[in-house]
Amino acid sequence: MSDSLTKSGTAVARAGITSPAEQAARLRAELEQHNYAYYVLDAPTVPDAEYDRLYAALVQIETEHPELVTPDSPTQRVGGQPATGFATVTHKVPMLSLNNGFADEDVVAFDRRVSEALYERDGDANDLFGQAVEYACELKFDGLAVALRYEDGLLVKAATRGDGTTGEDVTANIKTVRSIPLRLRTRTPPAVLEARGEVLMFRRDFEKMNERQREAGEKEFANPRNAAAGSLRQLDSRVTARRPLSFFSYGIGELLGADMPPTHDALLRWYLELGLPVCDRRAVVHGAGGLLAFYREVGQARASLPYDIDGVVYKVNRLDEQQRLGFVSRAPRFALAHKFPAQEALTTLLDIEVQVGRTGAITPVARLAPVFVGGVTVTNATLHNEDEVRRKDLLIGDTVIVRRAGDVIPEVVGAVLERRPADARAFVMPSACPVCGSAIERLPDEAIARCTGGLICAAQRKQALWHFAQRRALDIDGLGEKLIDQLVDQHLIRTPADLFKLGLAKLAALDRMADKSASNLLAALEQAKHTTLARFIYALGIRHVGEATAKDLARHFGMLDRLMAASEAELLEVNDVGPVVAQSIANFFAEPHNVEVIEQLRAAGVSWAESEPQRAAAVSPLAGKTFVLTGTLPTLSREQAKERLEAAGAKVAGSVSKKTDYVVAGAEAGSKLAKAEELGVPVLDEDGMLALLDAN
């Protein structure tokens, strides 16, 4: 027996257990009991040194007998090798967001809506039959929502909320959070339990982590929420394991093999029995009065809480009543998030500068005298667009009100006009991009100004290259976002034309590249030189010019030089090209930098077949008709069928609606075919589609 096990003084030795399997099982059980007491009950049962000795003993046994390692062993919380990226997870039960309330009137209105939906009125009286609605009240944590999937008691999957329908698989990282049990504390677990809750970072843990960052000379984290979200989304779970994350349960998704508790409060009490952490600051109240009393009580205690919150959450307590109330849009009718007022402070607007986004958007940014608001020091705040600066009547030099909306996003609310200095000056949107010098345009009816140097602007470089290489553009197989990041960051390429100057040696020297991968990419680049005019126009990334418009332009002009020389009036003759699109195209080709890159691409050998201009397909009987393709056609690929239909003036959509004219269905057609049959949309096979085209 190891020294660490001998010194532990645990029940393992007292019980006379000698086999490694029995020793490991008993150590795992004892360590998980200590974890539960420490992280869930906040009542440590042994000194840290004793826990460390128990842990070391288990590590030694599992090292000597790796076949004894189990998925729920405490030693599996340390994290494994870095992942290459997060897989996506589809939530079987959507993780919906909540409607927000900000004033007392919002809460009263919420309670009235719920009451009227659940109970009948007594004639013309205002009173409702029955007692006031019973609500469960909780805190609204400032962290990251996750779903934990347990199967037969074992944690098998963890995913972020994402867009509510799909999230990211963060199972390896979640397993490093010590307050989350790897196995539920029950001998009769449900077949499936999806517990939902929030990953967060306590303030004391956040401060200690930032102290370590300072001592190491590394960048500090802005606030606990960003630190928690960033830690959970680390590709290397060993990094997550070093971050002090915590977790609170507050909801449920899927449940199989067990009866659903009757109330939300009973659900949370059941979670505690299973070993899942639940916040103890919660209450069951009745009516709007009870809701507002809880809100005010929490508001008074907010500053002293050990974690950040940005409001409270009210839910109808009885789960059968929740089901009766149902959902509206993407939010439940039975719940409301009551947000705290945003925190505000005064500071000086030192200057307004502009930033260039990945898509060329020019965003004014307020440079502020440092001010502490909402728990962080704020020095910058977005002003969104030029109209927003004018609407708020902001002048450089003003004293301004800064608010952290939702305790997260810094916002300039407005100026204190009585403090406006005599030398305050107005912001003027620059006419040239601060990054590349290209002209800045603002199209009619648009709030956002944009840089027109899409092909050469460093701020847009990665986005432009990714768009140029994608399948529907020049289709450069193997040129993904990570490789583009490397090529740009190492200054190997500036424009799409530079792609065709790359050599084997430079490519093979990049991370995760070797001679074979480099050779494959060079072959793909060589193949991409032979394209179509429509694909090339689309690849240029001209704003408002999508795939269909690119095809219309290629058919109408036949040659690129004709398109580049076209006036706005000539562009307006193209099918579906309006004033905004025409101006965007004209501005793009008026920028000398863009023309220069196009000439470089031609010189590199990028070519396409050109033809005489063709009449727009607007006179075709199929012009304007909407088709949807589904399944596998016998002789045509999906892309070929799409090109044939669009050449006849039809539109090809991705989903079926009442506005769909035809659905073309092949083998293994799925939900789109069923939707068409439900809506009575005509369904064609490939022969039927070809017959329509031939008759065109």
Side-chain angles (χ1 to χ4, degrees), residues 180-517:
I180 295 175
L182 301 179
R183 182 179 292 277
L184 298 176
R185 293 170 57 85
T186 176
R187 294 182 178 179
T188 57
V192 173
L193 168 63
E194 182 187 283
R196 293 175 174 178
E198 197 94 354
V199 170
L200 67 158
M201 192 174 289
F202 279 43
R203 289 172 181 163
R204 65 174 184 270
D205 296 326
F206 172 75
E207 291 165 0
K208 289 179 181 177
M209 186 175 67
N210 263 351
E211 184 178 353
R212 292 195 297 271
Q213 294 291 109
R214 287 192 296 270
E215 291 173 353
E218 297 177 359
K219 183 180 178 180
E220 295 180 38
F221 294 90
N223 53 57
R225 184 190 187 281
N226 288 351
S231 299
L232 191 61
R233 298 191 70 256
Q234 290 287 327
L235 291 176
D236 188 345
S237 60
R238 293 171 298 187
V239 175
T240 309
R242 295 194 294 269
R243 304 280 174 84
L245 297 175
S246 298
F247 174 82
F248 282 131
S249 307
Y250 55 61
I252 190 167
E254 190 177 17
L255 178 64
L256 300 174
D259 293 330
M260 184 73 75
T263 66
H264 183 75
D265 183 61
L267 171 69
L268 298 186
R269 286 187 276 109
W270 183 45
Y271 278 171
L272 279 174
E273 296 173 4
L274 297 176
L276 289 162
V278 174
C279 179
D280 58 2
R281 189 174 281 272
R282 63 187 196 278
V284 175
V285 304
H286 293 85
L291 297 177
L292 292 173
F294 179 81
Y295 174 82
R296 295 189 176 102
E297 175 189 340
V298 172
Q300 292 176 355
R302 182 184 182 190
S304 62
L305 293 175
Y307 35 70
D308 287 347
I309 61 172
D310 57 2
V312 297
V313 175
Y314 311 132
K315 299 174 183 174
V316 172
N317 194 30
R318 284 179 49 180
L319 301 190
D320 60 342
E321 290 183 342
Q322 289 187 8
Q323 291 183 339
R324 285 172 56 193
L325 290 165
F327 303 84
V328 56
S329 184
R330 295 179 59 83
R333 288 191 176 95
F334 56 81
L336 181 74
H338 192 177
K339 306 290 284 292
F340 288 123
Q343 300 179 19
E344 299 179 344
L346 294 179
T347 189
T348 303
L349 177 57
L350 301 176
D351 200 357
I352 298 178
E353 300 175 356
V354 297
Q355 290 181 344
V356 187
R358 284 171 58 91
T359 61
I362 306 293
T363 304
V365 177
R367 304 302 185 196
L368 306 167
V371 59
F372 192 78
V373 55
V376 300
T377 299
V378 174
T379 57
N380 304 312
T382 179
L383 295 172
H384 302 293
N385 55 61
E386 188 177 9
D387 289 348
E388 186 76 355
V389 178
R390 306 284 177 254
R391 185 183 69 79
K392 292 182 175 179
D393 189 20
L394 299 175
L395 298 184
I396 297 168
D398 274 342
T399 295
V400 295
I401 303 168
V402 178
R403 175 171 61 196
R404 293 192 65 227
D407 290 350
V408 176
I409 305 169
E411 175 190 9
V412 176
V413 178
V416 182
L417 298 182
E418 58 267 32
R419 296 194 187 185
R420 175 164 286 172
D423 60 350
R425 67 187 193 279
F427 164 71
V428 178
M429 176 67 75
S431 59
C433 173
V435 175
C436 70
S438 299
I440 289 176
E441 69 173 7
R442 181 177 171 184
L443 299 178
D445 301 324
E446 285 201 357
I448 302 296
R450 296 182 186 274
C451 166
T452 58
L455 295 180
I456 59 96
C457 183
Q460 304 174 65
R461 190 165 293 157
K462 293 179 180 179
Q463 177 74 15
L465 288 164
W466 176 83
H467 177 85
F468 186 84
Q470 66 173 286
R471 183 178 60 84
R472 294 180 295 166
L474 256 67
D475 192 16
I476 305 175
D477 188 34
L479 186 61
E481 289 188 76
K482 291 185 179 179
L483 182 54
I484 289 173
D485 287 344
Q486 288 192 71
L487 291 169
V488 172
D489 293 343
Q490 296 186 30
H491 308 290
L492 295 178
I493 55 175
R494 294 179 59 254
T495 74
D498 294 332
L499 289 167
F500 300 96
K501 303 173 187 177
L502 292 170
L504 182 64
K506 287 184 177 180
L507 285 172
L510 297 173
D511 289 345
R512 293 188 292 275
M513 289 288 284
D515 286 349
K516 183 175 181 181
S517 299

Side-chain angles (χ1 to χ4, degrees), residues 19 139 200 217 425 452 467 533 549 600-601 615 619:
S19 79
L139 305 185
L200 67 158
R425 67 187 193 279
T452 58
H467 177 85
L533 178 56
T549 302
Q600 291 175 358
L601 286 164
R615 289 183 53 168
V619 297

Side-chain angles (χ1 to χ4, degrees), residues 466-477 531-540 545-548 550-551 639 642-643 646 652:
W466 176 83
H467 177 85
F468 186 84
Q470 66 173 286
R471 183 178 60 84
R472 294 180 295 166
L474 256 67
D475 192 16
I476 305 175
D477 188 34
T531 185
T532 66
L533 178 56
R535 281 179 173 269
F536 185 79
I537 295 170
Y538 177 66
L540 294 176
V545 176
E547 195 177 359
K551 291 176 180 177
E639 192 66 25
K642 183 178 180 182
E643 289 177 357
E646 288 180 340
V652 179

